[in-house]
């Protein structure tokens, strides 16, 4: 019986411990708004990722690694796998990383040609700027 309890604890406790909070990796005081080109979109659990090349004022290109929520949550916001592809220009707002500045938490993203139409807004439909379908 003790072995079963220990096994059950390990199966449920370790993933909960491993999951990080926003404040662990990202800085709420370092919000950025940038324009760049998508290099990759990963529809993976537990968090989607979007990689975007951004050219700074000195001409250097930095690849931003942006974390979103789960793919299922993003799909419920109306964004599908073919809606954002490598090579597309985007405008995004994110919270920069505490350790690695270019690893951020995505707050919102839109295509550069339609900046008022957000593909994703952190927090979902109740947030200001969320696209009304």
């Amino acid at each position: 019986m003790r072995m079963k309890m220990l096994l059950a604890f390990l199966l449920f406790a370790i993933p909960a411990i491993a999951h990080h909070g926003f404040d662990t990796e990202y800085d709420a005081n370092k919000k950025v708004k940038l324009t760049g080109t998508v290099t990759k979109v990963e529809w993976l659990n537990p968090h989607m990722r979007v990689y975007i090349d951004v050219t700074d004022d000195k001409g250097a290109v930095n690849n931003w690694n942006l974390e979103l929520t789960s793919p299922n949550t993003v799909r419920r916001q109306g964004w599908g796998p073919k809606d954002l592809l490598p090579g597309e220009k985007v405008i995004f707002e994110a919270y920069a990383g505490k350790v690695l500045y270019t690893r951020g938490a995505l707050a919102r993203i839109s295509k550069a040609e339609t900046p008022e139409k957000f593909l994703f807004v952190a927090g979902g439909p109740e947030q200001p700027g969320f696209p009304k379908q």
Side-chain angles (χ1 to χ4, degrees), residues 5 11 22 25 34 47 52 55-57 67 131:
M5 289 177 64
L11 286 173
F22 176 90
E25 291 190 49
L34 299 167
H47 300 282
I52 302 170
T55 304
D56 68 17
D57 296 337
E67 181 178 311

Side-chain angles (χ1 to χ4, degrees), residues 2-133:
R2 283 187 181 180
M3 186 60 98
K4 286 183 182 179
M5 289 177 64
L6 178 60
L7 182 59
F9 172 77
L10 291 174
L11 286 173
F12 293 104
I14 290 176
I17 292 168
H19 195 119
H20 60 88
F22 176 90
D23 292 335
T24 303
E25 291 190 49
Y26 309 113
D27 189 337
N29 296 316
K30 291 183 185 175
K31 190 169 186 182
V32 297
K33 183 175 182 179
L34 299 167
T35 301
T37 303
V38 175
T39 59
K40 182 164 63 168
V41 180
E42 293 180 331
W43 287 80
L44 302 173
N45 279 314
H47 300 282
M48 277 187 64
R49 292 202 174 273
V50 176
Y51 299 85
I52 302 170
D53 278 348
V54 175
T55 304
D56 68 17
D57 296 337
K58 297 176 184 175
V61 176
N62 296 296
N63 188 253
W64 280 74
N65 172 349
L66 301 169
E67 181 178 311
L68 291 78
T69 187
S70 72
N72 190 37
T73 301
V74 171
R75 280 183 159 278
R76 285 196 304 261
Q77 288 194 21
W79 178 9
K82 294 182 181 178
D83 290 328
L84 186 64
L85 301 170
E88 292 189 282
K89 294 218 179 281
V90 293
I91 300 169
F92 69 93
E93 294 177 33
Y95 296 95
K98 286 185 174 181
V99 177
L100 184 58
Y101 188 77
T102 58
R103 179 179 168 132
L106 188 64
R108 58 177 69 193
I109 188 168
S110 63
K111 293 184 182 183
E113 67 266 12
T114 55
E116 68 288 340
K117 183 180 177 191
F118 295 101
L119 291 170
F120 170 80
V121 177
E126 66 279 359
Q127 300 302 312
F130 186 79
K132 304 299 181 216
Q133 306 284 333

